Amino acid sequence: MIYLNFPVGAAHGWGVCGKYVARELSRLADVRLLTDPFNVASIGDEIETRELGALLPSQAEIARLDVRTPLKLDAPLLQLANKQLEPMTKNLSGLPTLGYCFFEDTELRPQHIESGRRHFDRLATGSTWCSEILRRHGIENVATVLQGVDTAAFFPRPQARQFLRDKFVVFSGGKFEFRKGQDLVIRAFKALADRHADVMLVASWFNQWPFSFRSMSQSPHIRFAPSSQDANLATAEVLAQNGVDLNRVILIGPRQHHAMAQVYHNSDVGIFPNRAEGGTNLVLMEYMACGKPVIATASTGQADVIAPGHALVIDTAGEVLSSSDGESVARWPEPNLDQAIERLEWAYQNRDALTPLADRAASKMAAMPWSRTAEQFLSLLS
């Protein structure tokens, strides 16, 4: 028996991760899923909802699992840990308790380190970068478990694309915030659009968290002064404020996770100049899995999946300080904006040369299914 204490869903990264870990781990062991209530709307598929529901504890088990007081399970527990290294359910522990965490803060506070030591027998992180940060802060019992790709949904398709065939389409994904570097995307796309009349930007930047959206005010590269409270309208305002023709932009709103494959396949190149990723960047991985070429930074969590052999790499130059609540908590490598512009122009001019890069990227992602992630967790819990 393995207990899994994760959120599950299709609307955010943690839910997607939890959904796949639960599915794949249950094929290797007897799993009990301890999670918040979910339904077809939150999971996005009736069959998958039923399958996940079969992993929930019985009524008798629920009565026994009263976590209002500390409860020690008699089996291994894999549990989500937040950026403060606190467990999803604080009164719950197992034999042993393995925490799984992603974070972008590089200067962890002493109370966070103490929380990690108190609540978990071992910590797994979503990237080599995060594991190194924990070790630098004195936590040695650390493992790295990378996210996977749903290779049944995200894979290369030989058919010609359906839409925008007469355009060179640049894709950018990830919620709009300073950490994910869409300010560099705006500048790079603007430079490309000024030179070529046939380029378009397709951006999946929806961000439901206002505090995160407002972090873009830290950018030294763009003007950020939106007035709208609507996320998509505010993003459009920022694009217009920085000289981007909105007739050459398609902003993608929230949609079912698997539906993004169609968006990816109707583009020419993806650009991911992210400053920091605690994980490998699931959107980046799924885009590559579709056999699409990427321009990306090979730093922080993305360093686990990006290399010159299968991507156009954006180097970094120096560091940027990021703050939360007015207190500096992170030092991130700053992507080279001029190089991002050059890489995008090169991709436009050398489209045939992108195919070998994209093929190698797809092969790398095909070797990273979620079943591999589950196998690594099982090894750590055995």
Side-chain angles (χ1 to χ4, degrees), residues 152-172:
F154 302 98
F155 58 90
R157 295 177 186 173
Q159 301 93 338
R161 77 179 191 221
Q162 296 171 289
F163 307 114
L164 304 173
R165 294 187 183 185
D166 60 337
K167 305 295 184 183
F168 183 81
V169 180
V170 180
F171 172 78
S172 173

Side-chain angles (χ1 to χ4, degrees), residues 92-333:
L92 197 61
S93 62
L95 290 172
T97 304
L98 174 65
Y100 192 39
C101 58
F102 297 60
F103 52 85
E104 287 82 30
D105 292 351
T106 56
E107 308 306 316
L108 303 183
R109 300 174 189 175
Q111 60 266 36
H112 300 165
I113 299 302
E114 174 56 29
S115 176
R117 288 177 172 148
R118 182 172 69 255
H119 291 292
F120 303 103
D121 297 299
R122 190 172 194 179
L123 282 165
T125 77
S127 67
T128 303
W129 181 64
C130 279
S131 293
E132 291 171 348
I133 292 171
L134 288 183
R135 292 190 182 102
R136 179 164 56 85
H137 285 81
I139 296 181
E140 293 296 335
N141 199 6
V142 178
T144 302
V145 179
L146 303 183
Q147 295 180 97
V149 173
D150 183 347
T151 53
F154 302 98
F155 58 90
R157 295 177 186 173
Q159 301 93 338
R161 77 179 191 221
Q162 296 171 289
F163 307 114
L164 304 173
R165 294 187 183 185
D166 60 337
K167 305 295 184 183
F168 183 81
V169 180
V170 180
F171 172 78
S172 173
K175 64 182 185 293
F176 189 88
E177 61 180 344
F178 181 66
R179 176 174 69 82
K180 289 188 175 288
Q182 289 94 346
D183 52 332
L184 290 98
V185 175
I186 290 172
R187 287 288 304 276
F189 177 76
K190 174 69 164 59
L192 189 72
D194 285 349
R195 298 169 186 163
H196 309 288
D198 61 339
V199 300
M200 287 197 67
L201 174 66
V202 173
S204 178
W205 289 350
F206 181 78
N207 188 343
Q208 61 183 317
W209 292 285
F211 75 92
S212 172
F213 185 89
R214 290 193 297 269
S215 70
M216 193 59 85
S217 62
Q218 300 175 55
S219 172
H221 301 302
I222 63 170
R223 182 184 176 213
F224 182 77
S227 59
S228 176
Q229 300 302 307
D230 178 273
N232 261 10
L233 291 178
T235 303
E237 282 187 86
V238 174
L239 285 162
Q241 288 167 356
N242 289 278
V244 175
D245 180 358
L246 295 182
N247 291 317
R248 301 170 71 176
V249 177
I250 299 175
L251 291 176
I252 303 294
R255 60 173 56 199
Q256 292 296 332
H257 177 227
H258 290 170
M260 289 304 299
Q262 183 187 44
V263 176
Y264 303 156
H265 283 294
N266 283 284
S267 65
D268 290 283
V269 67
I271 182 167
F272 299 86
N274 301 41
R275 292 182 171 90
E277 287 290 338
T280 42
N281 188 346
L282 192 55
V283 175
L284 166 65
M285 292 177 72
E286 291 169 346
Y287 189 86
M288 293 166 65
C290 286
K292 309 303 293 186
V294 298
I295 302 167
T297 45
S299 53
T300 69
Q302 290 188 178
D304 285 313
V305 295
I306 291 295
H310 55 264
L312 297 174
V313 176
I314 301 170
D315 294 329
T316 57
E319 289 183 330
V320 61
L321 286 176
S322 181
S323 62
S324 175
D325 300 324
E327 182 176 351
S328 294
V329 294
R331 293 178 179 272
W332 297 331

